[in-house]
Every structure is written in C-alpha cells, then in structure tokens.
Amino acid sequence: MREPALLAAITLLLLFQLAGEAIVVFRALPIPGPVIGMGLLFAVLAWRGGPSVDLRETARGLLQHLSLLFVPAGVGVML
C-alpha cells in the first residue's frame, strides 16, 4: 500500500472518532464517542456502497495488530 493512501485512511478513521467524541461532548450523551464515530462511519460506508480498497487494507492491518493494544490493559489488571 502507498504511504499517502495509508495516511489518508488512518486520517479518515480518526476524523470519524473525533466526530463521535464531539457529538458526545456537545450532546452530553452517555455513549462512548468512538462508538458513535463507528456508527457514523458505518452509515457513510453503507451509503457509499462499501469501503475503498485503501481503507479496507488499512483496517485489516490495524485488526491484525489489535491484540497488542490489549497488553497494557492486561498488565494493569494484573497489577
């Protein structure tokens, strides 16, 4: 994958997370911002007919390394 495409896909994911956080802050909702952002991203992708190849490959790469994100939480629980 090209570097600019990877950067654009990660930026898109982070922008939807930011939008979800902004909605939670301004509406004082009891739902986590990333969950709302994920719902917004789903709605946009459903409307557009699915993710682009770049977004699909970026998400696949992030999901392959998702277990690494649980290591700090697991260490915190053990302590």
Side-chain angles (χ1 to χ4, degrees), residues 62-77:
L62 288 172
L63 288 174
Q64 286 176 346
H65 297 91
L66 186 64
S67 61
L68 292 175
L69 298 175
F70 291 110
V71 172
V75 170
V77 168

Side-chain angles (χ1 to χ4, degrees), residues 27-73:
R27 299 285 185 184
L29 298 173
I31 303 170
V35 173
I36 293 178
M38 185 172 50
L40 291 172
L41 178 63
F42 175 75
V44 169
L45 291 179
W47 179 66
R48 288 180 49 198
S52 66
V53 175
D54 296 330
L55 182 60
R56 184 178 295 131
E57 291 300 319
T58 301
R60 185 173 290 137
L62 288 172
L63 288 174
Q64 286 176 346
H65 297 91
L66 186 64
S67 61
L68 292 175
L69 298 175
F70 291 110
V71 172

